[in-house]
Structure formats: structure tokens, C-alpha cells
Amino acid sequence: MKYDVMVVGSGIAGMESAIKLGDMGYQVLLVEKEASVGGRMILLSKVFPTLDCASCISGPKMSSTINHPNITTMTYSEVEGIRREVDGTFQATVKEKARYIDWNTCTGCQDCERACTVAVPDQFNAGLVPRHAAYIAFPQAVPKKAVIERAGTSPCIDSCPAGIKAHGYVSLIRSGMFEEAFQLVLDATPLVGTLGRACYAPCESECTRAKLEGTIPIRRLKRYVADKHYAETDGPGITVAEPNGKSIAIVGSGPAGLTAAWQLARLGYRVRMFEAAARPGGFLRHAIPAYRLPHHVVEQDIANVTALGVEIVTNHPVRDLDALKNEGYDAVLVATGTPRSMALGVPGEDAIGVFTGLDFLRKVSLDELPDLTGRAVVVVGGGNVAMDAARTARRLGASEVRVAYRRGREEMPAHSAEIDEAELEGVLFDYLVAPVDVVSDEAGSVAGLRCQRMRLGEPDPSGRRRPEAIPGSDY
């Protein structure tokens, strides 16, 4: 587009200049970064020195500017660059910001503003009060059109591996719309109650409120709306697409399988899940201790899935995927997770009383409780499974629980909150030690653990310093 003059800024000076140039016959492009012309003057009460009403002076100018036949106004736009050409003219690059609202149909009714739950600082009130992200600049705005201010993706949403819109459901809760907040989480995953308890909340680590008064308890808010929904509402309360005539088999009923079944059923697929264990839930039931994730919460989340018609077949291990596919399924999804534990790789680890972390937690979940009353327990490792095992052992009556880890506390992969809580519960930590062999008695039962002290060397590929054995330090 070619213009005779470009005026940047539509305050009183910009509007007056554009009108005068337009009256002289020049084609004028007026660029304003806000959604309305008027600049700062329209925000004042009175003007100096006459103390006339600022709105009374600016209002007519704003209307004249917008309606002038020789003035093209680009509001909610910014000049990104100006370049002088060889012939003396100028080439300007103007960016029109996304409005997310169709101005051709917007009537200025403010319905979108009233429905919006996202609050942001109001630049028209010096950032002292909030406004909605969907807004009309001010009552006298010209043009009186709404825009939605959206600056990319919120850090909390971007950091969520489940794709949950944390910013959205927090804003709904802020407005008292608890069921709507539950439904927004449910749109991404059926495991609302589970993630309100067992998630390590990476969203909170990225919360920008930490720069001010502190991080918002995003996970606890999710737990609140889940508990409220399950206490007051029967079923997930959503509609699904009409059956599309296709069927899917899912192997495994852990979090991945349940989420996949949920999303597929919503799209109209007939879904059947196959679980090797006697109860569905996978790691949610058999690896996360009940003090962190009660089984009734897992049941409530699973009920979201079965309410859509998903069938879960338990005690049914799948060993031949081709045979399963040939039963008439259009597709088979393998969602078995990572159920195998890592061995220590030291002599004697097959002694009676030695368990892998996952096997120990699974036995506890199945009420196959080992008698640890008055006994000493050593947990080898520094991950979250190790913390769960150690804290569970304390709850089973162990007189002493020690965690042996080959690096220091700063290198532990477990979540810091888990380590802190384990310490508060009386779990002892031995850092920079590694097992050498398991000591057994004559009956073949574990009697002790021989360890070796370590020191930290150069970083390994994970970025953590590599532990190195100290010769002659066995104990």
C-alpha cells in the first residue's frame, strides 16, 4: 500500500496531525499500538491549563480521525522498521497484532469480556488493577472493538507433559467456576484426581508468580476441583462422538493406556483394554504408595474412562500382538510402561529379603505386606522409587531406614520435596556410598550390606559428576 504520510501514534498530537494532513488532501496512514485511538489524553480527567474535560476534547477528534476519508487507521499495530529508498521515499514495515476476534462481526457488546476469566494488569490504569485478557480498551474506545491479549503459551502450560492448560483452569477457579475447571483438565486427561496428588508439578517450577509473591499451588488447585467434582457429580459429564465403527485394543491399563483409551473413546472408537494384573491402573495402583495416591482416587479416575464405554479386561496378559490384532481390531496400542526393575549387579542380591523397589511397592499395594517391625532396612538408590520405598518401609514399622546413594544430595534425581519429607519421617541418608555385595546368613536371608565409599569425578553424559570408588574404603 502507498501513502503520502505515515503518522505513528494516535494521541492528541497524532490525531491532529493526521486530520490536518488529510484535510490537505494527503493520504495518511495512522498507526496505533493500542486497540483504540486516543493515546494518553483520553485517560485523563481534565487538561491543563483550561481544565476542560479531556474526553470532551479527545472524543470528537477520535471520531473524526477514524471516519476521515483520507486517513487509514491501523490500530493494534506496531511499526517494526522504516527504510529510506534511493528515490527519497520511505518503506515502512508494520505488524498488525493478532486480535483473536473478528472485528467485522464484533459489536462492542463486551460479552466476551464478561466471559473471560484470565486477569492481566490494566495498562489503562497504570497496572494498578486487573482487567480481562479479552477486553475493550475503555468505554469511549474508537473503534469500540474487543481484542484478546495473548502473548504466546503460558510457561505452566508449556512445561506440562500431559498438555493440561494450567493457566486456564487456574483462572476458572479464580472465578469460582470449579466444574468448568475440572472439565478443562478432563479435556487433556481422565486422571484429574491422580495428577492432583502424584504429579511433581513442573508447571509450578515455571510459574511466573514466583518472581512476585510466590508460586501458585497449581497441583493442589487441580486436586481441589477433582475432589469437589467426585463428591458432587456422578460421571465425567461430557459428550462423545457417535460410534465410528472402528475398534482399538490397548495393552496395559496404566496412565498412558487410560489416557489413550479416554481420547479414543471420545472420538467414537470402541476401545477394549487388556491388563495382566487383577486390578487396572498399572503404576498408579501398584507403584505409587497409597499415602501419596489413595486407591479410591485411582478408581474415580478410571471410572471416567469406563463411563465412556471402554471395557477393561483384567487378568489377561497379552503375549501375541499379531493374534490380538487378528481378533478384529483396527489397531493395537501397546502401553505397558516400564515395569522392569534394574538389578544392583552385586553378589548376593538374590538373598531372601532383597527386593527391587518396584517389586516391594507392588507387594505392599497387593497387601502382601512384609513384616518389617523392628527391622533395619537399606534402600539403594536416589530416585523417586527409592524415596517411596523408604517412606513405605517406615510406615511398615521398620526401626531404621537408610538410603544409600553413590552421589551427593544435589545429584539425587528424586524430587526435592520427596527427599525433604523422607528426612522429616526419620529416613537416614548415606551419601557417596555404593553397594559392593549383599551379606547373607546361613539360611540365605539378608544379614547386611557391604558398601564402598565414593568420591565425585568428572561429569558423565547426564551432566552429573561421575562417582568414583575410593580404594580400601569398604565397610
Side-chain angles (χ1 to χ4, degrees):
M1 300 291 292
K2 290 186 177 181
Y3 297 94
D4 298 317
V5 182
M6 181 176 71
V7 178
V8 182
S10 68
I12 189 64
M15 291 190 295
E16 188 69 28
S17 299
I19 290 172
K20 287 188 178 299
L21 289 166
D23 289 344
M24 295 167 63
Y26 292 103
Q27 294 296 314
V28 181
L29 174 64
L30 178 62
V31 181
E32 168 59 45
K33 68 177 181 179
E34 301 294 350
S36 168
V37 297
R40 296 296 179 187
M41 182 175 175
I42 190 62
L43 306 180
L44 303 176
S45 174
K46 298 182 183 300
V47 294
F48 184 81
T50 61
L51 298 183
D52 289 329
C53 169
S55 180
C56 297
I57 296 174
S58 295
K61 292 288 184 185
M62 293 162 67
S63 296
S64 298
T65 301
I66 288 293
N67 296 310
H68 199 292
N70 291 335
I71 299 176
T72 300
T73 305
M74 289 187 66
T75 55
Y76 214 52
S77 303
E78 293 186 15
V79 177
E80 291 193 328
I82 300 177
R83 184 179 72 253
R84 187 176 187 129
E85 303 293 348
V86 178
D87 60 1
T89 60
F90 293 89
Q91 183 75 27
T93 302
V94 180
K95 178 184 178 181
E96 189 173 16
K97 295 184 285 188
R99 300 164 180 157
Y100 300 104
I101 288 178
D102 184 2
W103 275 18
N104 293 324
T105 58
C106 178
T107 62
C109 66
Q110 295 184 284
D111 280 353
C112 59
E113 186 172 345
R114 285 186 284 269
C116 180
T117 60
V118 178
V120 296
D122 186 359
Q123 71 269 37
F124 298 105
N125 283 287
L128 299 177
V129 295
R131 63 164 173 79
H132 299 289
Y135 72 104
I136 294 175
F138 42 84
Q140 304 86 1
V142 178
K144 194 172 183 180
K145 304 287 186 180
V147 296
I148 297 177
E149 182 178 335
R150 180 179 178 182
T153 300
S154 300
C156 53
I157 297 176
D158 188 58
S159 62
C160 179
I164 297 172
K165 298 176 181 177
H167 189 175
Y169 77 74
V170 169
S171 73
L172 289 167
I173 294 171
R174 178 179 179 271
S175 300
M177 303 170 69
F178 305 120
E179 180 59 23
E180 290 82 354
F182 177 86
Q183 293 296 329
L184 185 59
V185 180
L186 198 64
D187 186 60
T189 175
L191 309 176
V192 187
T194 294
L195 294 179
R197 290 169 170 80
C199 175
Y200 289 110
C203 53
E204 295 182 14
S205 301
E206 300 299 322
C207 179
T208 56
R209 299 300 298 185
K211 301 175 183 177
L212 299 173
E213 76 282 357
T215 297
I216 294 173
I218 300 173
R219 179 184 61 187
R220 292 183 180 181
L221 290 172
K222 188 192 301 108
R223 172 175 174 172
Y224 173 77
V225 296
D227 290 350
K228 186 175 179 64
H229 171 88
Y230 291 138
E232 300 176 357
T233 308
D234 184 19
I238 68 164
T239 58
V240 299
E242 292 294 324
N244 59 23
K246 295 184 178 180
S247 60
I248 308 292
I250 297 178
V251 183
S253 66
L258 290 169
T259 302
W262 166 258
Q263 298 293 1
L264 289 166
R266 292 174 64 193
L267 295 174
Y269 291 90
R270 183 172 64 85
V271 181
R272 177 176 291 172
M273 307 181 72
F274 297 93
E275 169 60 49
R279 303 291 296 275
F283 271 21
L284 303 181
R285 185 186 299 277
H286 301 302
I288 301 177
Y291 68 83
R292 285 182 54 203
L293 180 59
H295 290 171
H296 77 272
V297 176
V298 178
E299 294 287 356
Q300 290 170 331
D301 286 346
I302 293 174
N304 290 330
V305 179
T306 56
L308 303 189
V310 174
E311 180 184 358
I312 303 178
V313 182
T314 56
N315 291 313
H316 195 295
V318 174
R319 296 182 174 85
D320 190 333
L321 294 177
D322 290 332
L324 180 62
K325 179 73 162 53
N326 292 334
E327 290 181 15
Y329 295 101
D330 294 282
V332 175
L333 171 65
V334 179
T336 53
T338 55
R340 294 183 179 177
S341 300
M342 293 180 61
L344 287 176
V346 299
E349 65 176 307
D350 56 349
I352 299 172
V354 177
F355 304 97
T356 65
L358 290 177
D359 286 342
F360 173 71
L361 294 172
R362 185 180 294 108
K363 287 180 178 294
V364 173
S365 73
L366 296 173
D367 293 329
E368 300 174 4
L369 306 179
D371 183 12
L372 300 181
T373 304
R375 298 190 177 187
V377 175
V378 177
V379 178
V380 179
N384 292 316
V385 171
M387 297 304 103
D388 287 342
R391 297 176 66 188
T392 299
R394 285 290 292 169
R395 284 166 170 77
L396 293 177
S399 59
E400 178 182 293
V401 178
R402 288 184 174 274
V403 172
Y405 183 56
R406 59 181 182 164
R407 292 184 172 95
R409 170 158 181 163
E410 293 183 356
E411 289 80 21
M412 289 185 75
H415 196 276
S416 58
E418 290 289 316
I419 304 172
D420 293 340
E421 291 175 7
E423 288 180 331
L424 290 174
E425 293 174 4
V427 175
L428 305 175
F429 286 81
D430 291 330
Y431 298 111
L432 294 172
V433 296
V436 176
D437 66 78
V438 177
V439 180
S440 303
D441 58 19
E442 294 180 356
S445 297
V446 61
L449 182 68
R450 183 173 291 106
C451 295
Q452 187 177 42
R453 300 197 182 278
M454 314 293 284
R455 58 175 167 237
L456 297 181
E458 296 299 317
D460 63 12
S462 71
R464 295 180 297 172
R465 296 174 65 187
R466 189 187 305 276
E468 298 174 350
I470 300 176
S473 63
D474 292 17
Y475 71 100

